[in-house]
């Protein structure tokens, strides 16, 4: 599953807090409510049929399912954190997630896939190194993709009911994948439903998975070509702008008036992430305010960017473009998005 949580939807469903856990221990709930589990499976049949899923598919898989108490325990143990609760420094996370081993493996994956990466970038505008960095962060370049039975996990989480509105659509999407011919043996991944090299949720797979090697299948479990093409398609749909960097590292001048660039609107989503961003100014405006490059080169002066100081004043800061927001769509975490951008830069060097 990787060290961070998956797509924007996946980030949402694992980041929600404030919902009370069941008062019955998960193992007890599973033991006591197995008839209710069977009734729940029967209750979703009309929805599945409405998606065109055949009864034969439902009959074959539902007969094999039992609740998995472990996934309930994992769901209920997710950490909390309000929009304004303390956030640790980024640097320890960066050291762990943009380390020499991950960079070196990324460079190998980059070299081994250059032909297909160049083709995908030409078609989509998504940089080769961004695709590789996502692949590296999600599954350490395919070395671990999770081993939970997706249908069993999602059926358990949907039945348990605490976050049914989030998990049930993913269960139905997984059943649709099975009905479409994806082998049951492929339908494994994280406890919360992310699967394959890119760690897509089933609903994301149905919308965005692509055939990258021309064999007529979108096999994100064993085909690097398909996984990379699918990642690129995700970013296209998230509004990636070709020719713009994700951001640049900068030094903030001493005495800088941060209050003057405070964001003026409240974020509609991921407040814990976006509350840390300044308002948007052009690169030219940031330069006139005294920002200097820590490395790299300046984007064009008309490119819009927002300021983030992940370790506070006096440490490396970042001017982030709209493409950084596309990375946040994949996983709404500043630490994740920054580390993806930094790994991408290191892989390309």
């Amino acid at each position: 599953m990787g060290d961070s949580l998956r797509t924007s939807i996946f980030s949402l469903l694992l980041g929600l807090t404030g919902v009370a856990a069941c008062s019955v221990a998960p193992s007890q709930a599973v033991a006591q409510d197995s008839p209710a589990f069977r009734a729940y499976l029967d209750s979703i049949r009309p929805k599945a049929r409405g998606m065109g899923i055949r009864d034969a598919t439902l009959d074959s898989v539902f007969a094999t399912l039992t609740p998995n108490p472990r996934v309930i325990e994992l769901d209920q143990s997710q950490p909390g954190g309000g929009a304004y609760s303390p956030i640790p420094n980024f640097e320890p996370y960066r050291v762990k997630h943009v380390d020499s081993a991950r960079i070196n493996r990324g460079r190998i994956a980059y070299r081994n896939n250059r032909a297909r990466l160049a083709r995908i970038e030409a078609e989509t505008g998504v940089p080769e190194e961004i695709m590789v960095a996502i692949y590296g962060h999600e599954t350490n370049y395919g070395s671990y993709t999770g081993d939970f039975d997706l249908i069993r996990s999602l059926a358990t989480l949907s039945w348990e009911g605490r976050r049914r509105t989030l998990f049930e659509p993913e269960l139905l999407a997984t059943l649709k994948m099975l009905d479409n011919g994806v082998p049951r043996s492929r339908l494994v991944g994280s406890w919360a439903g992310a699967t394959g090299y890119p760690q897509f949720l089933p609903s994301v797979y149905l919308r965005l998975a692509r055939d990258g090697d021309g064999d007529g299948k979108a096999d994100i479990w064993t085909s690097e070509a398909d996984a990379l093409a699918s990642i690129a398609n995700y970013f296209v749909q998230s509004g990636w702008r070709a020719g713009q960097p994700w951001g640049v590292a900068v030094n903030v001048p001493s005495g800088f008036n941060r209050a003057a660039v405070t964001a003026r609107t409240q974020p509609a989503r991921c407040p814990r992430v976006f509350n840390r961003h300044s308002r948007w100014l052009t690169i030219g405006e940031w330069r006139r305010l005294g920002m200097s490059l820590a490395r790299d080169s300046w984007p064009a002066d008309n490119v819009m960017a927002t300021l983030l100081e992940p370790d506070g004043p006096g440490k490396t800061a970042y001017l982030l473009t709209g493409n950084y927001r596309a990375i946040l769509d994949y996983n709404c975490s500043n630490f994740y998005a920054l580390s993806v951008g930094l790994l991408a830069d290191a892989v390309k060097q």
Side-chain angles (χ1 to χ4, degrees):
M1 181 170 66
D3 296 305
S4 293
L5 300 179
R6 308 321 91 194
T7 61
S8 57
I9 302 172
F10 194 37
S11 179
L12 171 65
L13 66 91
L14 293 185
L16 289 176
T17 59
V19 182
C22 290
S23 58
V24 180
S27 59
Q28 293 175 333
V30 169
Q32 293 174 4
D33 293 342
S34 291
F37 179 72
R38 193 63 46 198
Y40 170 72
L41 294 180
D42 288 340
S43 77
I44 66 169
R45 283 178 177 270
K47 295 178 182 179
R49 293 185 188 114
M51 296 173 60
I53 301 170
R54 294 167 296 169
D55 278 331
T57 299
L58 301 176
D59 291 342
S60 66
V61 72
F62 284 179
T64 70
L65 293 182
T66 57
N68 186 341
R70 178 59 179 154
V71 300
I72 297 176
E73 293 169 0
L74 289 167
D75 180 46
Q76 293 182 358
S77 67
Q78 285 301 294
Y84 298 95
S85 60
I87 297 173
N89 284 341
F90 170 61
E91 183 60 16
Y93 183 97
R94 184 198 66 79
V95 169
K96 180 179 179 181
H97 292 81
V98 191
D99 60 321
S100 59
R102 200 175 304 239
I103 292 169
N104 290 336
R105 292 193 68 183
R107 289 174 177 167
I108 293 170
Y110 185 66
R111 288 194 301 268
N112 290 346
N113 289 281
R114 283 308 305 279
R116 62 174 59 112
L117 285 166
R119 174 179 54 77
I120 296 168
E121 180 174 350
E123 293 171 353
T124 65
V126 178
E128 302 172 43
E129 63 271 17
I130 289 290
M131 294 179 252
V132 171
I134 292 290
Y135 183 25
H137 271 286
E138 292 303 325
T139 57
N140 201 8
Y141 311 103
S143 63
Y144 182 71
T145 57
D147 56 7
F148 282 85
D149 178 334
L150 293 191
I151 296 178
R152 186 186 184 206
S153 294
L154 290 167
T156 299
L157 292 165
S158 301
W159 159 70
E160 186 260 358
R162 196 169 67 101
R163 295 194 281 185
R164 181 172 294 171
T165 57
L166 292 170
F167 287 113
E168 185 174 273
E170 299 306 328
L171 170 60
L172 291 167
T174 311
L175 293 168
K176 183 66 174 177
M177 291 169 66
L178 185 67
D179 198 60
N180 286 349
V182 177
R184 178 77 183 273
S185 60
R186 288 276 189 268
L187 296 176
V188 296
S190 78
W191 63 266
T195 188
Y197 291 160
Q199 290 290 273
F200 277 1
L201 286 174
S203 62
V204 175
Y205 174 88
L206 290 176
R207 285 193 301 115
L208 300 179
R210 291 294 179 267
D211 173 15
D213 55 17
D215 67 354
K217 302 175 183 177
D219 179 3
I220 62 170
W221 301 272
T222 64
S223 169
E224 287 186 319
D226 291 2
L228 294 168
S230 299
I231 291 168
N233 190 46
Y234 192 104
F235 280 104
V236 169
Q237 300 304 315
S238 295
W240 187 275
R241 297 181 181 182
Q244 286 189 12
W246 62 271
V248 289
V250 296
N251 300 307
V252 179
S254 60
F256 180 71
N257 183 5
R258 291 169 177 82
V261 297
T262 299
R264 297 170 178 170
T265 59
Q266 289 298 311
R269 66 184 184 94
C270 299
R272 188 172 167 85
V273 171
F274 292 113
N275 279 334
R276 306 190 74 193
H277 298 188
S278 76
R279 64 187 177 93
W280 292 84
L281 299 173
T282 66
I283 290 292
E285 289 172 320
W286 286 116
R287 294 176 67 178
R288 288 191 288 275
L289 289 172
M291 301 291 162
S292 62
L293 283 174
R295 52 185 177 272
D296 306 318
S297 58
W298 286 112
D301 273 356
N302 64 348
V303 171
M304 300 296 295
T306 182
L307 176 68
L308 172 63
E309 297 178 273
D311 293 324
K315 305 294 184 180
T316 300
Y318 298 89
L319 290 176
L320 307 166
T321 74
N323 285 341
Y324 179 84
R325 296 293 177 99
I327 302 174
L328 288 176
D329 277 348
Y330 208 99
N331 184 331
C332 202
S333 158
N334 280 314
F335 284 13
Y336 177 89
L338 284 172
S339 59
V340 164
L342 293 170
L343 179 61
D345 292 348
V347 162
K348 189 177 180 180
Q349 289 177 1

